């Protein structure tokens, strides 16, 4: 492992410096002031080298979107979270690019949707649809315009279900969702699927609104999800 390699390197350096120092003393080799200063502070030098390699060895690597491990080739890294109650908006990140968030000021109450090109990972569009005080018709029309091969990421904020009807739920189910049929008032839900998907998506998390288990008053805890989306092949 890297840590063992670093320790070996430190030992080799130490042996080299100590050997050179002993030889210089035995044969009374005159060292210049700088070398004498280094050898006089040999423990300090070695400790700094060791600390450097230890820090480098123990510092965890950072992967795209802050996910826990690197994605394989021809996959897109993603991480997303639902909203927190009606206070903090959802966040959607793909390939280290934050597509939707409260900071970007492009999220809102209801269902938040980001569309991504399945071949390139390029952002195509972002929209949110108010499922409490709004109308479901714009959501239905938007879902019908999604092209085959598009990656679809969805996250709820506040309430994403009250205005959903059977048609809207069916269109979302066709993108690979299994939880959409049970999505209820103030449930937290995140989903990543695709237009033209042949199977149910493995990327979906759903927490029911339950007064006995809710983390926030009237809302369940935030739901988060990360993973690697296969790139669409020709």
């Amino acid at each position: 492992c890297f840590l063992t390699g670093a320790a070996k390197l430190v030992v080799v350096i130490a042996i080299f410096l100590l050997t050179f120092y002993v030889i210089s003393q035995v044969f009374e080799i005159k060292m210049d002031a700088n070398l004498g200063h280094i050898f006089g502070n040999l423990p300090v030098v070695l400790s700094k080298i060791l600390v450097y390699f230890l820090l480098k060895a123990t510092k965890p690597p950072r992967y795209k979107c802050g996910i826990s491990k690197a994605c394989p080739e021809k996959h897109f890294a993603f991480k997303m979270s639902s909203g927190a109650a009606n206070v903090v908006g959802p966040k959607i990140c793909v390939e280290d690019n934050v597509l939707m968030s409260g900071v970007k000021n492009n999220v809102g109450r209801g269902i938040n949707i980001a569309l991504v090109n399945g071949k390139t990972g390029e952002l195509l569009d972002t929209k949110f649809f108010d499922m409490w005080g709004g109308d479901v018709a714009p959501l239905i029309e938007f879902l019908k315009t999604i092209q085959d091969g598009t990656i679809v990421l969805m996250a709820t904020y506040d309430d994403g279900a009250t205005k959903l009807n059977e048609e809207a739920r069916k269109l979302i189910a066709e993108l690979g969702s299994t939880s959409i049929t049970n999505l209820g008032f103030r449930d937290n839900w995140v989903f990543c699927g695709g237009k033209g998907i042949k199977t149910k998506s493995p990327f979906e998390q759903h927490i029911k609104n339950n007064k006995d288990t809710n983390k926030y008053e009237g809302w369940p805890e935030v739901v988060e999800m990360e993973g690697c989306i296969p790139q669409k092949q020709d």
Side-chain angles (χ1 to χ4, degrees):
C1 67
F2 182 83
L3 184 57
T4 302
K8 288 181 179 178
L9 180 61
V10 171
V11 171
V12 170
I13 293 173
I15 291 173
F16 172 77
L17 292 175
L18 286 171
T19 301
F20 187 83
Y21 178 72
V22 170
I23 292 173
S24 70
Q25 294 300 308
V26 171
F27 294 97
E28 297 183 349
I29 298 174
K30 185 177 180 181
M31 297 183 296
D32 61 29
N34 288 333
L35 282 176
H37 177 73
I38 290 174
F39 288 121
N41 293 280
L42 187 58
V44 176
V45 173
L46 291 177
S47 66
K48 287 183 177 180
I49 293 173
L50 181 59
V51 168
Y52 169 79
F53 281 107
L54 286 175
L55 288 175
K56 192 170 182 180
T58 56
K59 184 178 179 181
R62 185 194 179 280
Y63 302 114
K64 292 178 179 179
C65 291
I67 65 175
S68 56
K69 62 181 180 180
C71 288
E73 276 190 63
K74 298 182 178 180
H75 284 71
F76 300 123
F78 81 94
K79 187 171 185 177
M80 57 195 303
S81 61
S82 67
N86 61 347
V87 179
V88 180
K91 184 176 180 180
I92 299 176
C93 175
V94 175
E95 284 292 284
D96 238 11
N97 297 314
V98 177
L99 308 183
M100 301 186 77
S101 72
V103 174
K104 293 181 72 72
N105 197 32
N106 63 347
V107 297
R109 181 174 66 182
I111 296 180
N112 294 259
I113 306 176
L115 303 183
V116 173
N117 186 301
K119 291 183 179 180
T120 66
E122 176 189 4
L123 175 65
L124 300 176
D125 200 0
T126 63
K127 288 280 192 301
F128 61 87
F129 300 90
D130 187 349
M131 292 292 99
W132 169 252
D135 188 345
V136 73
L139 171 62
I140 291 172
E141 292 307 309
F142 180 77
L143 293 172
K144 288 179 177 179
T145 65
I146 300 175
Q147 300 296 308
D148 279 356
T150 301
I151 298 168
V152 184
L153 304 103
M154 300 185 178
T156 55
Y157 179 28
D158 190 348
D159 172 44
T162 297
K163 291 294 181 69
L164 283 179
N165 60 14
E166 185 177 349
E167 183 179 7
R169 292 178 190 269
K170 182 175 181 294
L171 288 169
I172 295 174
E174 289 173 355
L175 300 172
S177 172
T178 54
S179 296
I180 190 63
T181 55
N182 301 315
L183 189 68
F185 173 65
R186 287 186 178 177
D187 287 0
N188 272 342
W189 172 68
V190 289
F191 163 70
C192 176
K195 186 63 177 287
I197 191 171
K198 303 300 181 184
T199 60
K200 297 302 180 184
S201 172
F203 303 123
E204 188 168 27
Q205 296 290 336
H206 178 207
I207 298 181
K208 295 293 292 182
N209 169 25
N210 186 321
K211 65 179 182 179
D212 295 326
T213 59
N214 282 346
K215 183 174 181 179
Y216 309 105
E217 185 179 354
W219 287 270
E221 64 181 305
V222 173
V223 58
E224 296 181 318
M225 181 173 65
E226 65 176 51
C228 303
I229 309 166
Q231 181 181 5
K232 180 175 171 53
Q233 304 300 310
D234 292 327

